């Protein structure tokens, strides 16, 4: 049920437009995936996600495993019906959150033992367990358990983490094949820290195992933006041109357009949703902090060029009022706009690639930001 | 632009069905008005209010006066466009919140001085000022500033408060006539504590001033439900049959059906919205606490007989999960259901009155609750 095809390639850079086909529908790439950590993209409904142009969302295995747990999700035959989202879902492996949120995470070749951040209960996350949970979630795109390390990391730590990542990837592939869930796809995750030769080795080892898609992990973990782009520039061309390439956990609109230029197809990030809840809004002229007093009596929409529900119906003054009063509607109206911005931005990028106008689109994008 | 007509009267009790006509549309009565304290019915959009059957909402003058303030609202020519709600709006006078929320409220014949609960700034709320603010809000139904007292209150305090209420009502009427806002209506508020003769005197004095509608205030201030019903039973028949009668700040579904039987037409209460945010849901079989562990794996909708967005698309298990995780979507899905319940309940009451089946409807309502 899973297929990926490159439709158009830019003549001037590595950017490409493609089509992902999944059991829950098609997704045009490059694509941005809003994050629905605990079975809900915070504050918005599935209908609002669709209206904002969302075609695929991300769910977090770590959170959903701890609460509500697989016993609950299984009664709904997966996450889709549980959360009333019929479109494709990509789930991460749980590894990243185990290292960043759980207590006392201890890694061994078998897997990671950790204590729940909710109740302190002990758990063991293995490659097989991660696939089992993601299978129960009926995820359309399943991610291999990887060993994601912090920045900066020594060459030795980076090498150790990549070696474990490769071993786990092999076990994930076996577990995935045994799960007989041919409807979904399993992606391998390239690690290797900020070392070019380790990235090369990680990519080679994963390609030998052979996956329907590949992610670049271990980026956006604290390194400067230019280091992130350098590593992506080095790593993306190592991966098969016929497979989708996913950069995990990135990033700003500027990051996204640069990574598309380097050949990336898929992205996820909490930036639009988290910043919305903090009052930081993305517009074609740059970011806006809606709490700013200059918007107190401003009857104009947030972004006059935007067609989202928020901009069509509400003023900056009202959004500021809701935000200052900490009204629940504030988080939702802000989130709707920011998701719409990210999704529309990717759509414009896609259309520019298809019309072979990517370079001029990129220039126009930066020109508007500087205004 | 304001008109009220009784359409059907029950043959067995004082219940009646009527039609309110306002500059922002018609409203069938008896009607329940969700509370939109700060220019937003907490967590839901105007479209969701309409889909739940809402035809009129309430705004709080005290909150909107302090934030965002009339200077902001005036730029939108009123609250309707500011908050993107095109239907009728009733605003209270601000008096009730001054006494319950503000600091150091001091009452004199001139008005009430108080300190803002937001920043401690000093303000004077007079009858004229209250009308001025409500005119700026472009409220369809404007309430007189009244002196609402706590329960229990002595006969002397109750009498003093009613006397001030009458004097303020007269000044409100004058200010309202001078505002030349013929599009809206001004309602007088009957006070008099829990003393029948004082209620009679208050009603008589207000009717002499003559208002397009009348409210019964000073109920649901801490007295037992049977005392509230006794006072309503005594007071409602004192008011003109041709004018709308509004019971302020009440109540439970049981309160509402009993008050309709006593001849009340309009209601507002934070109960459905506030309780939704605390996980208490109203159903035809009584209230449900969605955090209860028995709903953990429950794939059924909250109320299988309910046609609201929440019940059509989500399970009890999902609602419980969102609530336990304190996801923002929880407050909204719960609120949509509870508002839908209250609005549908009033619609069923209205239809029962029109079919002269009110008594059998009332019996069936209590029978279901006992199940």
């Amino acid at each position: 049920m899973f297929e990926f095809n490159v439709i158009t390639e830019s003549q001037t850079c590595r950017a490409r437009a493609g089509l992902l086909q999944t059991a829950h529908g098609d997704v045009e790439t490059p694509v941005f995936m809003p994050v629905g950590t605990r079975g809900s993209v915070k504050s918005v409904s599935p209908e609002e996600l669709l209206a904002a142009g969302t075609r695929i969302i991300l769910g977090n295995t770590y959170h959903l495993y701890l609460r509500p747990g697989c016993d609950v999700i299984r009664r709904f035959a997966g996450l889709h019906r549980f959360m009333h989202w019929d479109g494709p879902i990509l789930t991460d492996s749980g590894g990243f959150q185990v290292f960043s949120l759980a207590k006392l995470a201890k890694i061994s070749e078998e897997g990671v033992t950790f204590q729940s951040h909710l109740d302190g209960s002990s758990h063991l996350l293995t490659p097989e367990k991660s696939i089992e949970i993601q299978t129960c979630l009926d995820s359309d795109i399943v991610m291999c358990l990887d060993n994601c390390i912090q920045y900066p990391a020594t060459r030795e730590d980076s090498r150790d983490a990549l070696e474990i990542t490769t071993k786990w990837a092999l076990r994930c592939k076996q577990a995935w094949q045994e799960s007989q869930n041919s409807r979904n796809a399993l992606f391998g995750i390239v690690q290797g820290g900020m070392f070019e030769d380790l990235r090369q080795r990680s990519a080679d080892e994963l390609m030998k195992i052979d996956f329907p898609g590949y992610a670049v992990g271990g980026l956006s973990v604290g390194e400067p933006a230019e280091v992130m782009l350098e590593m992506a520039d080095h790593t993306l061309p190592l991966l098969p041109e016929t497979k989708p390439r996913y950069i995990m956990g990135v990033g700003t609109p500027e990051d996204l357009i640069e990574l598309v230029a380097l050949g990336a197809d898929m992205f996820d990030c909490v930036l639009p949703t988290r910043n919305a809840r903090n009052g930081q809004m993305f517009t074609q002229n740059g970011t806006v902090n809606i709490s700013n007093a200059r918007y107190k009596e401003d009857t104009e929409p947030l972004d006059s060029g935007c067609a989202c529900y928020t901009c069509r119906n509400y003023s900056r003054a009202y959004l500021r009022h809701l935000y200052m009063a900490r009204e629940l509607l504030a988080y939702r109206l802000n989130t709707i706009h920011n998701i719409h911005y990210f999704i529309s931005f990717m759509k414009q990028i896609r259309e520019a690639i298809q019309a072979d106008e990517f370079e001029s689109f990129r220039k126009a994008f930066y020109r508007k930001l500087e205004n």
Side-chain angles (χ1 to χ4, degrees), chain A:
Chain A
M1 293 291 274
F2 182 84
E3 220 182 299
F4 176 70
N5 290 290
V6 174
I7 310 288
T8 319
E9 292 179 282
S10 167
Q11 299 303 307
T12 53
C13 67
R14 290 189 233 134
R16 64 221 205 129
L19 186 71
L20 275 175
Q21 291 169 281
T22 81
H24 286 92
D26 296 352
V27 179
E28 291 180 292
T29 63
V31 66
F32 181 82
M33 304 180 283
V35 178
T37 301
R38 303 184 291 195
S40 165
V41 176
K42 288 191 195 308
S43 84
V44 295
S45 68
E47 289 82 358
E48 285 164 344
L49 288 172
L50 285 172
T54 307
R55 290 297 169 263
I56 176 170
I57 61 172
L58 183 141
N60 284 122
T61 291
Y62 170 83
H63 287 96
L64 293 165
Y65 163 68
L66 292 180
R67 185 170 60 187
C70 283
D71 287 348
V72 173
I73 306 264
R74 227 173 254 124
R75 297 205 172 250
F76 297 83
L79 185 55
H80 301 78
R81 192 156 71 81
F82 181 62
M83 70 178 286
H84 175 51
W85 168 260
D86 295 329
I89 297 177
L90 179 148
T91 48
D92 61 11
S93 69
F96 185 80
Q97 266 85 23
V98 163
F99 291 112
S100 58
L101 288 181
K103 294 170 194 160
L104 303 175
K106 270 182 212 161
I107 199 163
S108 70
E109 200 175 310
E110 188 190 7
V112 203
T113 55
F114 66 95
Q115 289 190 347
S116 160
H117 74 291
L118 294 175
D119 62 6
S121 56
S122 281
H123 301 267
L124 170 64
L125 185 66
T126 62
E128 293 77 15
K129 181 79 185 172
S130 177
I131 298 299
E132 182 195 325
I133 304 167
Q134 293 181 75
T135 301
C136 140
L137 295 173
D138 195 27
S139 176
D140 297 279
I141 301 178
V142 168
M143 300 303 297
C144 283
L145 185 66
D146 62 331
N147 186 5
C148 185
I149 51 174
Q150 292 187 321
Y151 176 87
T154 63
R155 184 177 173 81
E156 200 182 357
D157 287 346
S158 302
R159 193 199 57 214
D160 290 351
L162 114 72
E163 286 175 357
I164 283 203
T165 295
T166 299
K167 284 176 188 163
W168 285 356
L170 192 60
R171 285 164 59 190
C172 281
K173 174 115 187 237
Q174 282 165 350
W176 173 66
Q177 283 171 329
E178 284 160 17
S179 76
Q180 302 193 310
N181 188 349
S182 60
R183 286 157 40 100
N184 65 16
L186 177 67
F187 280 26
I189 305 176
V190 178
Q191 289 291 348
M194 303 302 161
F195 300 92
E196 295 196 352
D197 61 324
L198 297 182
R199 289 277 171 185
Q200 170 89 56
R201 182 178 153 196
S202 180
D204 288 344
E205 291 177 357
L206 292 175
M207 287 189 289
K208 221 156 111 190
I209 302 173
D210 188 25
F211 291 99
Y214 295 88
V216 182
L219 295 185
S220 203
V221 291
E223 77 281 11
E226 59 270 22
V227 174
M228 185 272 286
L229 288 173
E230 269 169 39
M231 288 315 302
D233 187 17
H234 171 73
T235 308
L236 284 165
L238 306 174
L239 299 169
E241 280 189 20
T242 56
K243 301 287 175 71
R245 302 160 179 163
Y246 163 30
I247 306 276
M248 303 183 81
V250 181
T252 64
E254 294 90 323
D255 291 338
L256 297 184
I257 199 166
E258 294 309 317
L259 288 165
V260 166
L262 299 174
D265 305 302
M266 302 168 66
F267 306 92
D268 79 284
C269 193
V270 295
L271 200 68
T273 43
R274 177 177 293 164
N275 287 21
R277 299 196 303 282
N278 292 324
Q280 198 190 43
M281 312 298 292
F282 290 89
T283 80
Q284 55 180 337
N285 301 117
T287 55
V288 157
N289 194 322
I290 199 61
S291 67
N292 196 307
R294 68 195 283 191
Y295 304 122
K296 193 171 193 291
E297 302 191 2
D298 192 333
T299 58
E300 291 298 306
L302 184 64
D303 189 341
S304 57
C306 178
C308 83
Y309 170 76
T310 302
C311 287
R312 276 186 286 113
N313 297 300
Y314 302 92
S315 62
R316 292 174 185 153
Y318 185 66
L319 294 178
R320 179 178 188 273
H321 165 66
L322 291 183
Y323 185 75
M324 298 307 282
R326 298 292 183 264
E327 276 288 334
L328 288 165
L329 192 59
Y331 308 113
R332 168 178 171 191
L333 295 183
N334 291 357
T335 302
I336 287 173
H337 172 82
N338 274 1
I339 289 180
H340 186 274
Y341 177 87
F342 270 66
I343 301 282
S344 301
F345 181 56
M346 295 309 277
K347 183 167 181 257
Q348 289 165 10
I349 288 178
R350 208 157 54 227
E351 288 168 354
I353 296 169
Q354 284 164 344
D356 205 20
E357 294 169 353
F358 179 76
E359 289 303 337
S360 60
F361 176 81
R362 177 153 63 159
K363 273 181 204 141
F365 163 72
Y366 283 110
R367 218 166 26 240
K368 272 187 227 155
L369 274 194
E370 283 158 17
N371 279 348

